[in-house]
Amino acid sequence: MASTAGPNRPETRPDALSTAVVTGASSGIGAAFARQLAARGCDVILVARRETELTTLARNLGQAFRVKAEVIKTDLATPEGVDNLMRRLESSPPHWLINNAGFGVPGAFNQVPLERSLAMVQVHVLAAVRLIHAVLPGMIARGRGNIVNVGSIGAFLPRPGDATYCATKAYLVTFSRALHDELRDTGVKVQALCPGFTYTDFYNRPDYRGYNLEGAVPRGFWMSPEEVVAASFEAFTHNRPICIPGIQNRLMVALAKLGFREALLNRLDSHLGII
């Protein structure tokens, strides 16, 4: 665990919710959340497995935005890793919790190693639920707090070859929607953020070797992490529990809900390979 703070830190920041925890913060959407929250004046607690990337990000945020940036290296795919973070959050509940950590393993369910599917359930569902349970008492007592569970449009477009990934993201959508309503009068807001194709290193990992999605998927389907995070913040201003960034993604979800899911997936598979 390490900490980095920038010089000449402001004494007061009345417009800021002062502390934000971001899991999966070493790159992509998580790093974009950390940057935009720091730019708003929030101290950040950066959580991931890659300590070098976290430390670099913490240093940059401290220098650029004069906030405190703390690094917690932990693996949320293990119960022990979640335990370590829960103890930290219970002792000092944050004002923002961004459950962004996640990964995918493409392939038929019976061919994906069981431990990999269970790790997805652990990271996407069990870790998120446990961390939310840890922070809620403090948020409710404070009368304010924001929780983001990063899902996927795959929650609305379950497809063969991504059964566990889509199912865990669908859980986050349903859980977030119900929890948002449950906490309506507490000052705590909950959002499921469901992006589509986003320019991150998600598809550059070994499990996706050979897919070449950036080359195969038309540019209009892609968004930057910054655009996704900006859409999340905008949805919070309207108190919307589900945020699907990008008109192209909202259109695909709308078509799926109208009964065109199979036709849509058949149309997309030759180009997209995976959602």
Side-chain angles (χ1 to χ4, degrees):
M1 188 181 298
S3 162
T4 303
N8 303 317
R9 183 179 173 188
E11 290 299 321
T12 60
R13 295 166 299 163
D15 297 327
L17 292 177
S18 61
T19 307
V21 173
V22 184
T23 70
S26 58
S27 64
I29 292 173
F33 262 114
R35 285 191 294 269
Q36 293 194 33
L37 285 163
R40 291 167 173 245
C42 289
D43 292 334
V44 289
I45 299 173
L46 310 175
V47 182
R49 294 177 301 167
R50 297 184 292 182
E51 188 172 20
T52 300
E53 288 84 347
L54 290 181
T55 301
T56 299
L57 178 60
R59 183 185 309 113
N60 292 341
L61 296 180
Q63 292 172 350
F65 303 112
R66 296 181 294 176
V67 298
K68 180 181 178 182
E70 180 181 341
V71 167
I72 298 180
K73 177 187 177 183
T74 194
D75 186 357
L76 298 181
T78 68
E80 297 77 16
V82 181
D83 287 342
N84 292 337
L85 184 54
M86 282 184 68
R87 285 192 291 269
R88 172 66 175 80
L89 300 187
E90 288 169 340
S91 64
S92 181
H95 299 80
W96 287 82
L97 172 62
I98 313 296
N99 282 314
N100 170 72
F103 64 96
V105 184
F109 175 73
N110 67 316
Q111 296 176 358
V112 173
L114 179 59
E115 61 272 18
R116 297 288 283 155
S117 293
L118 293 178
M120 266 191 282
V121 175
Q122 165 67 30
V123 174
H124 298 171
V125 176
L126 298 181
V129 168
R130 294 182 67 198
L131 295 178
I132 292 170
H133 199 269
V135 304
L136 268 184
M139 288 184 172
I140 292 171
R142 185 187 296 126
R144 62 174 183 167
N146 294 314
I147 297 169
V148 179
N149 295 315
V150 179
S152 165
I153 62 169
F156 308 97
L157 291 161
R159 74 178 291 279
D162 253 340
T164 302
Y165 180 84
C166 292
T168 56
K169 297 302 186 178
Y171 177 93
L172 290 177
V173 170
T174 301
F175 180 62
S176 299
R177 189 192 299 272
L179 195 57
H180 174 273
D181 292 344
E182 186 176 311
L183 297 169
R184 188 180 304 277
D185 298 322
T186 66
V188 179
K189 298 179 181 180
V190 182
Q191 177 194 107
L193 173 62
C194 300
F197 289 101
T198 308
Y199 287 117
T200 72
D201 64 358
F202 184 93
Y203 298 114
N204 296 327
R205 297 170 184 175
D207 290 312
Y208 287 89
R209 185 175 292 119
Y211 280 87
N212 187 30
L213 292 178
E214 288 193 24
V217 178
R219 183 171 297 180
F221 281 94
W222 292 88
M223 296 180 70
S224 70
E226 290 72 22
E227 290 172 320
V228 169
V229 173
S232 174
F233 287 138
E234 174 66 18
F236 265 115
T237 66
H238 299 287
N239 200 25
R240 293 199 297 263
I242 309 299
C243 174
I244 303 173
I247 189 171
Q248 73 280 16
N249 295 318
R250 292 192 291 274
L251 177 60
M252 285 195 288
V253 170
L255 289 172
K257 289 181 177 179
L258 288 172
F260 295 99
R261 170 185 159 271
E262 186 173 353
L264 180 62
L265 291 179
N266 288 339
R267 175 70 175 171
L268 293 175
D269 268 351
S270 62
H271 297 288
L272 308 186
I274 193 167
I275 288 180

